[in-house]
């Protein structure tokens, strides 16, 4: 009980961006296929490919990975019976992995390798009568899956394949009194779900359905004395929340409301000087997931050593420009 003591940064840690070391960390992580963690993390493998590839792309280093090798891995995850993608060969398909597969193909400009019509049908079948989306045939409903579905279809240029109005109405039915969104109607507000719901409204050009000042206020309250951002009140700061909060603020045109110097310092202090990579907070072990979202957050805050990142898709902006995809952003 009682307010947690603010996370005192033991040492300010690294204050400059260790780009070369992060590129090495990400490449090395995806190469050591034998160790225990790598095998045990098979359930997230294709997501790990998206996190690693996008982190490298933002650092102008995506050539470090072999396009053909990765695209053949992605296609091994394709389940031709359902039209969906699994995390690794012979696992069950899920909308989370289908989004990662499409994001990797888009980044490599290899969308023509995908059986696009079947993927569209897979996503179509996941929409429920109330407009919400399930993640797979097990039927669990979550606004994360609405974001995945709408993002996939936007990248496939096939938003016409679902009932967009019903999907938007379901999202709006989940708006909480504090201006935030949770996983389902009535769920507690959470920064990651606010990102997903604002992302759906941005892609469907419906951002006028929310009050940017009220949500912007809730998002700025996520910043702690140590500079880092948390995902909900009373939680510890975490680098990946800097992405969910900053990208949400960017979509609603309120990014200038947050103290960008302090949050940059928190992300830079979460870098690992020995191994490279970024962890969830200073002193913890780095991983590709937090490395991507830390770099994407720093890019959003204007660091020009990194490519411009699109706040909705968390991919290099140049990829969306090449594909002519323009989600709505409030000024
Ligand atoms: C180490 O424990 C976990 C817990 C959840 C997951 S997850 O896949 O459900 N997921 C993404 C996630 C990934 C990692 C991670 C470690 C090594 C790698 C290799 O690339 O990636 C670590 C954490 C993590 N989480 C959990 C988390 C992050 N910050 C706080 N927590 C509790 C997020 C979780 C959910 C998720 C978020 C975004 C997304 O695009 C996909 C999944 C993965 C590992
Ligand atoms: Zn995290």
């Amino acid at each position: 009980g009682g307010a947690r003591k603010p996370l005192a940064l033991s040492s300010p840690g690294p204050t400059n961006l260790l780009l070369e070391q992060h590129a090495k960390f990400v490449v090395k992580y995806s190469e050591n296929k034998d160790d225990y963690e790598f095998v045990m993390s098979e359930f997230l493998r294709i997501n790990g490919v998206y996190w690693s590839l996008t982190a490298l792309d933002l650092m102008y280093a995506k050539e470090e990975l072999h396009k053909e090798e990765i695209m053949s891995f992605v296609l091994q995850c394709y389940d031709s019976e359902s039209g969906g993608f699994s995390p690794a060969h012979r696992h069950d398909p899920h909308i989370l992995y289908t989004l990662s597969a499409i994001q990797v193909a888009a980044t490599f400009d290899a969308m023509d390798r995908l059986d696009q019509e079947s993927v569209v049908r897979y996503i179509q079948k996941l929409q429920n009568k109330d407009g919400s989306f399930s993640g797979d045939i097990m039927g669990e409903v979550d606004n994360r899956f609405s974001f995945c579905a709408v993002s996939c279809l936007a990248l496939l240029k096939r938003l016409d394949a679902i009932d967009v109005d019903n999907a938007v109405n379901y999202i709006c039915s989940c708006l909480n009194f504090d201006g935030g969104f949770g996983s389902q109607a009535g769920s507690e507000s959470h920064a990651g779900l606010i990102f997903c719901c604002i992302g759906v409204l941005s892609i469907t050009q419906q951002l006028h359905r929310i009050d940017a000042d009220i949500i912007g206020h809730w998002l700025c309250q996520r910043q702690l004395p140590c500079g880092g951002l948390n995902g909900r009140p009373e939680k510890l700061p975490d680098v990946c929340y800097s992405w969910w909060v900053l990208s949400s603020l960017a979509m609603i045109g309120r990014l200038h409301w947050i103290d960008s110097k302090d949050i940059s310092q928190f992300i830079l202090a979460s870098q690992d000087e020995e191994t490279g990579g970024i962890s969830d907070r200073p002193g913890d072990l780095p991983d590709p997931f937090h490395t991507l979202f830390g770099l994407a957050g720093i890019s959003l805050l204007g660091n020009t050593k990194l490519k411009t990142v699109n706040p909705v898709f968390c991919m290099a902006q140049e990829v969306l420009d090449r594909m002519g995809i323009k989600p709505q952003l409030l000024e």
Side-chain angles (χ1 to χ4, degrees):
R4 291 171 177 280
K5 62 180 177 45
L7 194 84
L9 293 185
S10 48
S11 68
T15 52
N16 60 323
L17 187 53
L18 310 170
L19 275 189
E20 294 73 24
Q21 285 178 270
H22 296 329
K24 276 202 219 72
F25 170 79
V26 168
V27 171
K28 182 172 167 299
Y29 202 98
S30 58
E31 273 168 0
N32 63 348
K33 295 191 185 351
D34 47 3
D35 70 0
Y36 177 75
E37 291 92 68
F38 195 89
V39 174
M40 285 310 290
S41 65
E42 198 163 78
F43 77 97
L44 55 80
R45 182 66 34 67
I46 193 164
N47 283 348
V49 170
Y50 155 68
W51 297 322
S52 302
L53 172 64
T54 309
L56 288 168
D57 192 15
L58 294 181
M59 293 188 278
Y60 296 94
K62 79 168 178 260
E63 290 64 34
E64 297 282 325
L65 296 180
H66 307 287
K67 170 177 173 176
E68 287 315 317
E69 188 182 310
I70 288 183
M71 284 311 299
S72 68
F73 166 72
V74 167
L75 292 172
Q76 271 170 30
C77 298
Y78 177 61
D79 173 51
S80 52
E81 203 181 306
S82 65
F85 285 82
S86 319
H89 191 48
R90 304 195 61 68
H91 282 249
D92 296 331
H94 193 284
I95 193 120
L96 277 168
Y97 309 123
T98 303
L99 175 57
S100 290
I102 295 173
Q103 289 173 303
V104 170
T107 300
F108 274 137
D109 194 7
M111 292 294 278
D112 54 338
R113 309 277 187 91
L114 306 178
D115 179 352
Q116 299 188 28
E117 264 320 298
S118 305
V119 179
V120 168
R121 272 195 300 280
Y122 172 73
I123 296 164
Q124 239 172 1
K125 290 191 195 112
L126 290 172
Q127 185 167 28
N128 302 308
K129 292 219 177 331
D130 63 0
S132 67
F133 280 85
S134 296
D136 62 10
I137 53 175
M138 305 301 283
E140 183 199 359
V141 169
D142 189 308
N143 286 322
R144 285 183 300 148
F145 308 147
S146 295
F147 174 74
C148 291
V150 164
S151 298
C152 286
L153 293 173
L155 291 168
L156 290 164
K157 309 280 182 85
R158 288 298 315 278
L159 275 170
D160 60 287
I162 54 166
D163 185 335
V164 170
D165 291 346
N166 214 6
V168 169
N169 288 338
Y170 178 78
I171 293 283
C172 292
S173 76
C174 299
L175 190 58
N176 290 327
F177 290 111
D178 59 10
F181 292 96
S183 300
Q184 299 179 359
S187 307
E188 181 196 11
S189 293
H190 179 291
L193 276 301
I194 289 174
F195 164 82
C196 291
C197 294
I198 294 180
V200 170
L201 298 177
S202 164
I203 291 169
T204 57
Q205 317 291 327
Q206 294 292 314
L207 280 174
H208 57 276
R209 310 270 292 243
I210 52 171
D211 183 319
D213 290 332
I214 295 180
I215 294 194
H217 180 68
W218 189 92
L219 289 165
C220 288
Q221 286 179 310
R222 302 284 55 79
Q223 187 153 38
L224 298 170
C226 68
L229 304 176
N230 63 15
R232 280 179 286 171
E234 303 304 311
K235 293 287 179 183
L236 280 175
D238 180 330
V239 161
C240 69
Y241 285 112
S242 43
W243 169 255
W244 310 126
V245 173
L246 292 176
S247 51
S248 300
L249 287 169
M251 287 189 259
I252 62 175
R254 301 291 189 277
L255 187 52
H256 57 286
W257 279 13
I258 204 116
D259 182 331
S260 54
K261 189 176 50 55
D262 287 357
I263 175 65
S264 296
Q265 244 164 15
F266 181 82
I267 299 173
L268 292 174
S270 303
Q271 298 177 103
D272 188 311
E273 292 175 289
E274 273 79 51
T275 62
I278 299 174
S279 61
D280 57 354
R281 59 183 68 91
D284 281 1
L285 272 181
D287 62 53
F289 176 87
H290 289 96
T291 300
L292 167 60
F293 292 114
L295 291 172
I298 290 173
S299 171
L300 263 189
L301 292 170
N303 187 306
T304 51
K305 279 198 232 158
L306 297 168
K307 283 186 183 176
T308 303
V309 66
N310 179 273
V312 185
F313 292 94
C314 195
M315 293 159 67
Q317 181 57 44
E318 67 186 21
V319 175
L320 285 312
D321 293 345
R322 166 172 37 86
M323 298 172 78
I325 294 167
K326 277 182 66 62
Q328 179 190 10
L329 299 177
L330 295 181
E331 295 306 314

